[in-house]
Amino acid sequence: MNIIVIVKHVPDLVEELEIAEDGKDLNRDFLKFVVNEFDDQALEQALLLKEKGGGTITAVALDAPEIDQTLFTCLAKGADKAVKIVGDLEGRVTSHAAAHMLADALKAMSHDLILTGVQSAEDLDGQVGPLLATYLGEPHVSVVTGVEARGQMVVVRQEYAGGVTGEFEVDLPAVLGIQAAPQPPRYAPISRVRATMKEKKLVEIQAAAADGAGLNVRQMVRPQVASHAEMIEGNTDTVVERIVGIMAERGLMNG
Amino acid sequence: MGNVLVVVEQLNGKTGEITFEMLGKGRELASALGGELHALVIGGQADELGIADKVWVMGDGALAHYTSANHKAALVAAISAISPRVTLIGNTSIGMDLAAGASAATGIPLIAYCNALRVEGGQVVGTSQIYGGKVLAEVAPEDGACIVSVLAGAFPASAGRSDKTPVLETLAPPALDNRVRFVRLIEPEAADVDITKAAVVVSVGRGIQSADNIELADGLADALGGVVGASRPVTDAGWLPKSRQVGKSGLRVKPKLYLALGISGAPEHLEGMKDSGLIIAINQDASAPIFDVAHYGVVGDLFEIVPALTEKIKG
Amino acid sequence: MPVKGVKQAPIVVEKDSVTVRGIELKGQWNRMFEPRVIDDYDLTHLDRVAALSGGESIEFCYQCGKCVPVCPVDVVGNYGPRKIVRKLQLGVDLTEDADLWLCTTCMNCLRVCPKEVDMIKIMPAVREQAILDGKFVPPELQKTFENIARYGNPQGESPRKRADWAKEAGVPVPIMASVKRPVDVLLYVGSYPSYHPRGKDAARAMARVLTALGVDFAILGHEEKEDGDSVRLAGEKGLYETLADSTIKTLAKYRFNRIVVFGPHEYNAFKNVYPKFAAENGLAWDYAILHYTQFLAERLDQLTPLLKKPIEITTTFHDPCYLGRHNGEYDAPRRLLAAIPGVTLVEMGRSRENGYCCGGGGGGMWLDSFAGGHQKMRLSERRVQEAVEYGASLLSVCCPYEVSRFEDGVKSTGNDGKLIVRDIIEMIDEAMRAE
Ligand SMILES: Cc1cc2nc3c(=O)[nH]c(=O)nc-3n(C[C@H](O)[C@H](O)[C@H](O)COP(=O)(O)OP(=O)(O)OC[C@H]3O[C@@H](n4cnc5c(N)ncnc54)[C@H](O)[C@@H]3O)c2cc1C
Ligand code: SF4
Ligand code: SF4
């Protein structure tokens, strides 16, 4: 099976985020980037499928700060090829535009399966997986927690609230949004990543022009965060009443 | 026209709470836009939807089981038939399949992870919660229509219920897309608890005192549809299995709700849970560091509060 | 018996009879002359370890067993070089065995081993092989590697917040990049004093003590990273090299007379490991390195008069493996303790050269649950019990790993209220606060 894994860099949330002066994006000058955690799961799922049934893995990413390191890490973990889509990719690329550029590039790459992380921290205009699938005319399943190859189809598990999962057969080629691989993403020793950087090359392809998401960002703000809990006082009944109220407000009372 | 369409989410024959949350908000938006509130049922039951002015029912047996491909095709067909100004979809597993797919297929912009919506000067403005909740982005569609995927719990469900009888209308389903086929639904097994996947984690620390008292936490977790986690001393003592340990040398969890019962909040523990959506801590010691990361805190005896809380939630 | 690390084929000469001083000795009467199998094991796994660079000395072991009783892991479990060699002989693949991750590289076995079987080299080499082969690596350790690679600290905290502790030190803490002049002391803070709440207490105490002594010092601030020595010993050599390279280059930007380190692990890295790495990579590394206890002990004349407030307490001192056994410094911390008025020092049975390990070395700091699952109790818990057995009410330490480990151990062994844990620098700071 030939698998394409889409990897994406997102701002590292360990760092404080600042809003740009115009209030419409993050201040990207000092941002640090990390690979989207769900994309790591998607890669692990792909590696497990390859280990079981053979085939190839191609990691594909849109150009972004520090993306080379991440693509080489994918190679070090066992991907066969890494493709970087380059072009005019400054600032936040909307999911719609990213999906257009990816679809354009992937049309020319033969594949059975495309795995993406189920979502990313930047998906203001929706997740890339279903957008990409629609542009490519392929079926798509989100929130996937298990994939098994069976000839010209895969059997996948989709997770719903409360731990219920649905099982589906999906004809190939298809796009899957991976929530979690059956085992935690593997570790790539730094020495292997370094060796990979010497041995292998990234393939670069030019991005197609793409429209935006059709949304205007009016402003971005950071919600106020308290440095200490808001204390709930009173007798047991009052306290319990209040806790239940807080949970109900957030829709947490129905399992 | 300024109609609002709510996509009804049904799984296993049950209408999800998110549907009523969206219906309540949809009612408000519809009146602000001078339009009607419509609901769309794909392959399911049109019960309980009295708050809508009109309920569109699409499909039959073939659409009865949810599949991403068929239901997306159905939704796209419905949107072109109804042309709503705003389409509301839950940001659930199903909504993740449908919202972005429908946006790509129809060219209508999507506001994802939305937790606030209003109409301003005739335009719909949504707030999208991104970057792990660290940023709120206020966005509006460039022109007219939009699709919105709505976060669970963003709006009160009570505003979405009514015992009126709506007008029912049927819509012809589109050609089926059988590339995704339903096999079965699997209920979770009690044995395989994965605390990293649970939406609610009720975590106990040394304050729980003994293995026998774990059942207190079990009771609360059951009532909330969650699982029981623990600090290291509790799993070290064998009161709960290692797979329940939260922290640096255990598992990292990010549930919607993390209840910390009798946990002091050592840095090694905080490393495993500080990014949870909502943290509520109950501890006897007002100076416990857990209160520095919790959103809400109670200084008190867990043995008094937890049973009362469980009672109250069970109703 | 190997010669220069290369295994030699056993030479067995069999004779039917020999004549010694005119008396004929018949071979069949003597077991020694009977043909017998002397090598009936499949030595693949042992040979594989011996073939690794660093693994050679595993073959020197002649199973005398001296190492087992001194191994701190054996005290709480079933461990020691002799037992590991035996397992290898019996066909256990160490790269897949839990034993691989339990050694804390404390060096107590090497101290007593007549054959110089060197676990400090063997274990990291086998771990590195296991990691490269994609064998099981305990997830908590893997996560730590990822954190250190990305953020330069094991906690996964923002590198920009590395010097945040200094804001509440109560004294100015200059940062190298902004002082723009040579300083006397470059204080290398380390990750735990930078980020761990209890470590930060010690870092602030250090800043106050240095200031009181009028020391011209500065820190690297957000340019500082994990030194990488424990990473190396845990088997991630590539990551260690990246860290060493970056630290050596960062330090090369600045002028200072000496480096004072908080942690024995940085001390070992800078003194014993970096020089070799720098030489191999054409980098300059020629610094005077001092552990903070050494730096302060040299200034006792100046320090003692400032220690006005008595701390009436019986303390015992835990020798850090990487200050004591690895680097031979036992006295500096004890001299500091002796200078604090009121303090009575009692020595534990396992101290100085035979000091017990806290369990944090060689990556043990990041294998807490994994190791805990293979031992009757944690090493830190065993040590806390020993401190209590010897009648101490305060366990004094001078390694940033230890405060968190021992405070946790105090709680988990039910010694809350009986024993407190303090870094020596905190005690000095306290004793300076005359009312
Ligand atoms: C290297 C290392 C790794 C570690 N990894 C982890 C890890 O992964 N996960 C982890 O959890 N810990 C870990 N620890 C241990 C950690 O340092 C703490 O010791 C531990 O988290 C404390 O657990 P606790 O909060 O349950 O217990 P305590 O700190 O003893 O706290 C118990 C709390 O319960 C409160 N309490 C008591 N009775 C009541 C009552 N009736 N009602 C309400 N409150 C009550 C008390 O006020 C107290 O705050 C690690 C330690 C080290 C050194
Ligand atoms: S002390 Fe040395 S030679 Fe003796 S058993 Fe231990 S490792 Fe082998
Ligand atoms: S180095 Fe220490 S822990 Fe490791 S085997 Fe030797 S004595 Fe045991």
Side-chain angles (χ1 to χ4, degrees), chain A:
Chain A
M1 179 145 51
N2 296 324
I3 307 173
I4 289 173
V5 180
I6 311 291
V7 287
K8 174 176 167 30
H9 263 197
V10 291
D12 189 343
L13 300 181
V14 163
E15 302 289 350
E16 298 293 335
L17 301 180
E18 277 173 42
I19 308 291
E21 246 168 59
D22 70 357
K24 299 199 167 162
D25 192 6
L26 298 178
N27 178 353
R28 291 185 176 257
D29 293 347
F30 302 105
L31 276 186
K32 280 194 64 164
F33 291 86
V34 289
V35 65
N36 173 27
E37 55 176 311
F38 297 107
D39 297 352
D40 243 356
Q41 300 283 345
L43 178 65
E44 184 61 36
Q45 178 65 73
L47 292 164
L48 293 172
L49 284 170
K50 180 180 153 182
E51 278 165 9
K52 216 166 168 196
T56 65
I57 298 175
T58 307
V60 178
L62 295 183
D63 199 2
E66 301 156 50
I67 196 75
D68 288 13
Q69 172 84 19
T70 294
L71 285 172
F72 280 116
T73 305
C74 295
L75 290 170
K77 287 186 181 183
D80 301 275
K81 196 172 144 192
V83 176
K84 180 165 80 167
I85 301 178
V86 297
D88 182 19
L89 292 162
E90 287 290 300
R92 187 178 68 87
V93 178
T94 67
S95 301
H96 281 70
H100 269 302
M101 292 185 249
L102 288 165
D104 186 71
L106 267 43
K107 256 183 251 158
M109 291 163 61
S110 87
H111 61 266
D112 302 301
L113 195 58
I114 298 173
L115 302 185
T116 69
V118 62
Q119 62 182 46
S120 92
E122 269 189 322
D123 289 343
L124 176 57
D125 58 317
Q127 301 81 14
V128 169
L131 292 167
L132 174 62
T134 309
Y135 294 145
L136 287 172
E138 294 178 13
H140 170 264
V141 181
S142 287
V143 200
V144 169
T145 56
V147 186
E148 220 180 279
R150 241 180 247 168
Q152 261 318 292
M153 64 180 194
V154 284
V155 176
V156 306
R157 294 215 170 163
Q158 179 176 49
E159 191 169 275
Y160 306 112
V164 180
T165 45
E167 194 172 275
F168 300 91
E169 294 173 353
V170 184
D171 287 345
L172 300 179
V175 183
L176 304 177
I178 304 293
Q179 161 96 2
Q183 66 182 46
R186 63 196 62 193
Y187 182 70
I190 302 291
S191 54
R192 190 177 317 137
V193 177
R194 278 206 306 253
T196 311
M197 286 175 146
K198 283 191 198 121
E199 284 160 21
K200 297 204 174 176
K201 288 232 147 37
L202 305 180
V203 180
E204 289 195 6
I205 52 181
Q206 198 60 39
D211 291 342
L215 290 178
N216 286 321
V217 175
R218 294 185 156 198
Q219 60 163 343
M220 286 194 186
V221 292
R222 296 199 306 176
Q224 293 293 331
V225 280
S227 63
H228 194 271
E230 181 182 327
M231 301 309 281
I232 305 172
E233 280 161 32
N235 61 22
T236 303
D237 288 346
T238 329
V239 164
V240 164
E241 192 89 24
R242 184 73 208 289
I243 296 179
V244 169
I246 293 164
M247 295 193 300
E249 261 168 44
R250 312 215 181 185
L252 291 163
M253 295 284 294
N254 34 67

Side-chain angles (χ1 to χ4, degrees), chain B residues 206 232-233 236 242 245 248-250 252 264 266-268 271 274, chain C residues 140 143 155 192 196-197 365-366 368-369 378 381 404 408 411-412:
Chain B
R206 205 200 312 266
R232 199 191 68 190
D236 267 6
K242 271 275 160 206
Q245 182 187 322
K248 171 188 159 72
S249 54
R252 273 145 237 261
S264 63
E268 293 83 8
E271 226 178 272
K274 61 177 190 291
Chain C
E140 49 192 304
K143 180 75 193 164
Q155 293 92 342
Y192 285 86
H196 193 284
M365 196 62 193
W366 311 312
D368 188 72
S369 277
R378 291 186 176 76
E381 292 165 338
S404 67
D408 170 55
K411 275 195 268 173
S412 58

